[in-house]
mmCIF file of all heavy atoms in Angstrom:
data_model
loop_
_atom_site.group_PDB
_atom_site.id
_atom_site.type_symbol
_atom_site.label_atom_id
_atom_site.label_comp_id
_atom_site.label_asym_id
_atom_site.label_seq_id
_atom_site.Cartn_x
_atom_site.Cartn_y
_atom_site.Cartn_z
ATOM 1 N N VAL A 1 -111.961 21.135 3.649
ATOM 2 C CA VAL A 1 -112.859 22.074 4.318
ATOM 3 C C VAL A 1 -113.696 21.429 5.408
ATOM 4 O O VAL A 1 -114.368 22.142 6.162
ATOM 5 C CB VAL A 1 -113.794 22.772 3.311
ATOM 6 C CG1 VAL A 1 -112.994 23.434 2.202
ATOM 7 C CG2 VAL A 1 -114.804 21.791 2.731
ATOM 8 N N ARG A 2 -113.658 20.118 5.503
ATOM 9 C CA ARG A 2 -114.471 19.424 6.493
ATOM 10 C C ARG A 2 -114.130 19.901 7.896
ATOM 11 O O ARG A 2 -112.967 19.976 8.278
ATOM 12 C CB ARG A 2 -114.289 17.917 6.377
ATOM 13 C CG ARG A 2 -115.236 17.113 7.270
ATOM 14 C CD ARG A 2 -115.081 15.613 7.057
ATOM 15 N NE ARG A 2 -115.483 15.201 5.722
ATOM 16 C CZ ARG A 2 -114.643 14.821 4.774
ATOM 17 N NH1 ARG A 2 -113.336 14.786 5.013
ATOM 18 N NH2 ARG A 2 -115.100 14.470 3.585
ATOM 19 N N GLY A 3 -115.162 20.218 8.659
ATOM 20 C CA GLY A 3 -114.971 20.736 9.998
ATOM 21 C C GLY A 3 -114.913 22.238 10.074
ATOM 22 O O GLY A 3 -115.074 22.805 11.161
ATOM 23 N N ARG A 4 -114.681 22.890 8.942
ATOM 24 C CA ARG A 4 -114.617 24.348 8.899
ATOM 25 C C ARG A 4 -115.794 24.955 8.141
ATOM 26 O O ARG A 4 -116.275 26.032 8.494
ATOM 27 C CB ARG A 4 -113.313 24.818 8.250
ATOM 28 C CG ARG A 4 -112.063 24.368 8.987
ATOM 29 C CD ARG A 4 -110.814 25.001 8.395
ATOM 30 N NE ARG A 4 -110.610 24.621 7.002
ATOM 31 C CZ ARG A 4 -110.616 25.486 5.989
ATOM 32 N NH1 ARG A 4 -110.807 26.782 6.212
ATOM 33 N NH2 ARG A 4 -110.408 25.058 4.748
ATOM 34 N N PHE A 5 -116.231 24.274 7.101
ATOM 35 C CA PHE A 5 -117.332 24.766 6.282
ATOM 36 C C PHE A 5 -118.591 23.967 6.579
ATOM 37 O O PHE A 5 -118.531 22.790 6.948
ATOM 38 C CB PHE A 5 -117.017 24.632 4.792
ATOM 39 C CG PHE A 5 -115.946 25.554 4.290
ATOM 40 C CD1 PHE A 5 -115.172 26.308 5.153
ATOM 41 C CD2 PHE A 5 -115.718 25.662 2.925
ATOM 42 C CE1 PHE A 5 -114.180 27.153 4.680
ATOM 43 C CE2 PHE A 5 -114.736 26.504 2.440
ATOM 44 C CZ PHE A 5 -113.966 27.252 3.321
ATOM 45 N N SER A 6 -119.726 24.601 6.387
ATOM 46 C CA SER A 6 -121.004 23.944 6.588
ATOM 47 C C SER A 6 -121.986 24.379 5.512
ATOM 48 O O SER A 6 -122.197 25.578 5.315
ATOM 49 C CB SER A 6 -121.565 24.265 7.978
ATOM 50 O OG SER A 6 -122.819 23.660 8.183
ATOM 51 N N ILE A 7 -122.561 23.419 4.817
ATOM 52 C CA ILE A 7 -123.541 23.710 3.785
ATOM 53 C C ILE A 7 -124.937 23.464 4.336
ATOM 54 O O ILE A 7 -125.161 22.519 5.092
ATOM 55 C CB ILE A 7 -123.290 22.871 2.512
ATOM 56 C CG1 ILE A 7 -124.217 23.306 1.382
ATOM 57 C CG2 ILE A 7 -123.430 21.385 2.797
ATOM 58 C CD1 ILE A 7 -123.886 22.666 0.032
ATOM 59 N N SER A 8 -125.863 24.317 3.969
ATOM 60 C CA SER A 8 -127.248 24.170 4.396
ATOM 61 C C SER A 8 -128.158 24.734 3.312
ATOM 62 O O SER A 8 -127.701 25.407 2.393
ATOM 63 C CB SER A 8 -127.493 24.882 5.734
ATOM 64 O OG SER A 8 -127.252 26.272 5.620
ATOM 65 N N ARG A 9 -129.433 24.448 3.430
ATOM 66 C CA ARG A 9 -130.377 24.957 2.448
ATOM 67 C C ARG A 9 -131.699 25.283 3.107
ATOM 68 O O ARG A 9 -132.079 24.697 4.121
ATOM 69 C CB ARG A 9 -130.578 23.950 1.305
ATOM 70 C CG ARG A 9 -131.282 22.662 1.717
ATOM 71 C CD ARG A 9 -131.236 21.633 0.587
ATOM 72 N NE ARG A 9 -131.917 22.108 -0.609
ATOM 73 C CZ ARG A 9 -131.751 21.597 -1.826
ATOM 74 N NH1 ARG A 9 -130.889 20.596 -2.008
ATOM 75 N NH2 ARG A 9 -132.423 22.093 -2.855
ATOM 76 N N ASP A 10 -132.392 26.223 2.515
ATOM 77 C CA ASP A 10 -133.722 26.606 2.933
ATOM 78 C C ASP A 10 -134.591 26.537 1.692
ATOM 79 O O ASP A 10 -134.618 27.464 0.886
ATOM 80 C CB ASP A 10 -133.724 28.007 3.538
ATOM 81 C CG ASP A 10 -135.061 28.381 4.142
ATOM 82 O OD1 ASP A 10 -136.080 27.754 3.805
ATOM 83 O OD2 ASP A 10 -135.094 29.310 4.975
ATOM 84 N N ASN A 11 -135.280 25.425 1.537
ATOM 85 C CA ASN A 11 -136.067 25.222 0.328
ATOM 86 C C ASN A 11 -137.229 26.208 0.213
ATOM 87 O O ASN A 11 -137.655 26.537 -0.893
ATOM 88 C CB ASN A 11 -136.590 23.791 0.277
ATOM 89 C CG ASN A 11 -135.486 22.785 0.012
ATOM 90 O OD1 ASN A 11 -134.362 23.154 -0.337
ATOM 91 N ND2 ASN A 11 -135.796 21.510 0.174
ATOM 92 N N ALA A 12 -137.735 26.668 1.343
ATOM 93 C CA ALA A 12 -138.806 27.657 1.315
ATOM 94 C C ALA A 12 -138.332 28.974 0.722
ATOM 95 O O ALA A 12 -139.126 29.723 0.150
ATOM 96 C CB ALA A 12 -139.368 27.880 2.713
ATOM 97 N N LYS A 13 -137.051 29.269 0.868
ATOM 98 C CA LYS A 13 -136.466 30.487 0.322
ATOM 99 C C LYS A 13 -135.693 30.243 -0.967
ATOM 100 O O LYS A 13 -135.098 31.180 -1.514
ATOM 101 C CB LYS A 13 -135.545 31.146 1.349
ATOM 102 C CG LYS A 13 -136.259 31.682 2.583
ATOM 103 C CD LYS A 13 -135.275 32.366 3.518
ATOM 104 C CE LYS A 13 -135.981 33.094 4.646
ATOM 105 N NZ LYS A 13 -136.762 32.186 5.503
ATOM 106 N N ASN A 14 -135.666 29.019 -1.433
ATOM 107 C CA ASN A 14 -134.917 28.659 -2.644
ATOM 108 C C ASN A 14 -133.460 29.115 -2.549
ATOM 109 O O ASN A 14 -132.899 29.682 -3.492
ATOM 110 C CB ASN A 14 -135.570 29.259 -3.885
ATOM 111 C CG ASN A 14 -136.836 28.532 -4.291
ATOM 112 O OD1 ASN A 14 -137.329 27.659 -3.586
ATOM 113 N ND2 ASN A 14 -137.377 28.901 -5.447
ATOM 114 N N THR A 15 -132.857 28.847 -1.418
ATOM 115 C CA THR A 15 -131.513 29.344 -1.155
ATOM 116 C C THR A 15 -130.653 28.260 -0.516
ATOM 117 O O THR A 15 -131.129 27.506 0.333
ATOM 118 C CB THR A 15 -131.548 30.572 -0.234
ATOM 119 O OG1 THR A 15 -132.369 31.586 -0.829
ATOM 120 C CG2 THR A 15 -130.154 31.138 -0.019
ATOM 121 N N VAL A 16 -129.403 28.208 -0.930
ATOM 122 C CA VAL A 16 -128.419 27.333 -0.319
ATOM 123 C C VAL A 16 -127.298 28.207 0.230
ATOM 124 O O VAL A 16 -126.969 29.249 -0.354
ATOM 125 C CB VAL A 16 -127.884 26.282 -1.315
ATOM 126 C CG1 VAL A 16 -127.156 26.948 -2.481
ATOM 127 C CG2 VAL A 16 -126.980 25.287 -0.605
ATOM 128 N N TYR A 17 -126.726 27.798 1.350
ATOM 129 C CA TYR A 17 -125.719 28.590 2.032
ATOM 130 C C TYR A 17 -124.435 27.792 2.197
ATOM 131 O O TYR A 17 -124.437 26.564 2.234
ATOM 132 C CB TYR A 17 -126.207 29.016 3.416
ATOM 133 C CG TYR A 17 -127.531 29.729 3.417
ATOM 134 C CD1 TYR A 17 -128.711 29.029 3.633
ATOM 135 C CD2 TYR A 17 -127.608 31.104 3.206
ATOM 136 C CE1 TYR A 17 -129.938 29.675 3.642
ATOM 137 C CE2 TYR A 17 -128.825 31.752 3.212
ATOM 138 C CZ TYR A 17 -129.984 31.045 3.429
ATOM 139 O OH TYR A 17 -131.200 31.691 3.434
ATOM 140 N N LEU A 18 -123.354 28.518 2.317
ATOM 141 C CA LEU A 18 -122.074 27.930 2.678
ATOM 142 C C LEU A 18 -121.467 28.794 3.765
ATOM 143 O O LEU A 18 -121.005 29.906 3.495
ATOM 144 C CB LEU A 18 -121.129 27.835 1.476
ATOM 145 C CG LEU A 18 -119.795 27.143 1.763
ATOM 146 C CD1 LEU A 18 -120.015 25.664 2.069
ATOM 147 C CD2 LEU A 18 -118.827 27.306 0.595
ATOM 148 N N GLN A 19 -121.499 28.291 4.978
ATOM 149 C CA GLN A 19 -120.881 28.976 6.102
ATOM 150 C C GLN A 19 -119.427 28.557 6.170
ATOM 151 O O GLN A 19 -119.123 27.376 6.319
ATOM 152 C CB GLN A 19 -121.598 28.627 7.408
ATOM 153 C CG GLN A 19 -120.996 29.268 8.648
ATOM 154 C CD GLN A 19 -121.147 30.772 8.657
ATOM 155 O OE1 GLN A 19 -122.226 31.290 8.398
ATOM 156 N NE2 GLN A 19 -120.056 31.483 8.939
ATOM 157 N N MET A 20 -118.530 29.517 6.068
ATOM 158 C CA MET A 20 -117.102 29.254 6.047
ATOM 159 C C MET A 20 -116.466 29.855 7.284
ATOM 160 O O MET A 20 -116.496 31.072 7.484
ATOM 161 C CB MET A 20 -116.460 29.821 4.780
ATOM 162 C CG MET A 20 -117.090 29.306 3.492
ATOM 163 S SD MET A 20 -116.248 29.911 2.006
ATOM 164 C CE MET A 20 -116.670 31.657 2.108
ATOM 165 N N ASN A 21 -115.901 29.006 8.111
ATOM 166 C CA ASN A 21 -115.232 29.427 9.329
ATOM 167 C C ASN A 21 -113.754 29.067 9.267
ATOM 168 O O ASN A 21 -113.336 28.225 8.483
ATOM 169 C CB ASN A 21 -115.873 28.772 10.554
ATOM 170 C CG ASN A 21 -117.324 29.134 10.735
ATOM 171 O OD1 ASN A 21 -117.729 30.261 10.459
ATOM 172 N ND2 ASN A 21 -118.121 28.181 11.217
ATOM 173 N N SER A 22 -112.981 29.704 10.123
ATOM 174 C CA SER A 22 -111.540 29.451 10.196
ATOM 175 C C SER A 22 -110.903 29.492 8.814
ATOM 176 O O SER A 22 -110.148 28.601 8.417
ATOM 177 C CB SER A 22 -111.271 28.102 10.873
ATOM 178 O OG SER A 22 -111.804 28.069 12.174
ATOM 179 N N LEU A 23 -111.203 30.529 8.079
ATOM 180 C CA LEU A 23 -110.731 30.640 6.709
ATOM 181 C C LEU A 23 -109.211 30.727 6.643
ATOM 182 O O LEU A 23 -108.565 31.338 7.498
ATOM 183 C CB LEU A 23 -111.355 31.854 6.037
ATOM 184 C CG LEU A 23 -112.815 31.652 5.615
ATOM 185 C CD1 LEU A 23 -113.487 32.989 5.355
ATOM 186 C CD2 LEU A 23 -112.879 30.767 4.379
ATOM 187 N N GLU A 24 -108.666 30.112 5.611
ATOM 188 C CA GLU A 24 -107.239 30.061 5.381
ATOM 189 C C GLU A 24 -106.905 30.682 4.033
ATOM 190 O O GLU A 24 -107.776 30.853 3.181
ATOM 191 C CB GLU A 24 -106.752 28.601 5.427
ATOM 192 C CG GLU A 24 -107.122 27.866 6.697
ATOM 193 C CD GLU A 24 -106.906 26.371 6.606
ATOM 194 O OE1 GLU A 24 -106.597 25.880 5.497
ATOM 195 O OE2 GLU A 24 -107.036 25.692 7.642
ATOM 196 N N HIS A 25 -105.625 30.998 3.841
ATOM 197 C CA HIS A 25 -105.203 31.567 2.570
ATOM 198 C C HIS A 25 -105.547 30.648 1.401
ATOM 199 O O HIS A 25 -105.888 31.124 0.315
ATOM 200 C CB HIS A 25 -103.703 31.850 2.582
ATOM 201 C CG HIS A 25 -103.308 32.965 3.499
ATOM 202 N ND1 HIS A 25 -102.704 32.736 4.719
ATOM 203 C CD2 HIS A 25 -103.434 34.308 3.382
ATOM 204 C CE1 HIS A 25 -102.470 33.890 5.308
ATOM 205 N NE2 HIS A 25 -102.903 34.862 4.521
#
């Protein structure tokens, strides 16, 4: 997934995200 996915977090919102681009089967 390297280069396609991106993980981030917002500690103020107690939330972690996973942005997934160029998704494959």
Side-chain angles (χ1 to χ4, degrees):
V1 306
R2 187 176 295 108
R4 299 187 298 117
F5 290 10
S6 179
I7 187 171
S8 62
R9 67 189 299 162
D10 187 341
N11 289 349
K13 294 182 171 62
N14 285 8
T15 303
V16 63
Y17 306 94
L18 184 67
Q19 178 67 47
M20 304 184 292
N21 299 324
S22 301
L23 284 163
E24 305 168 353
H25 291 104

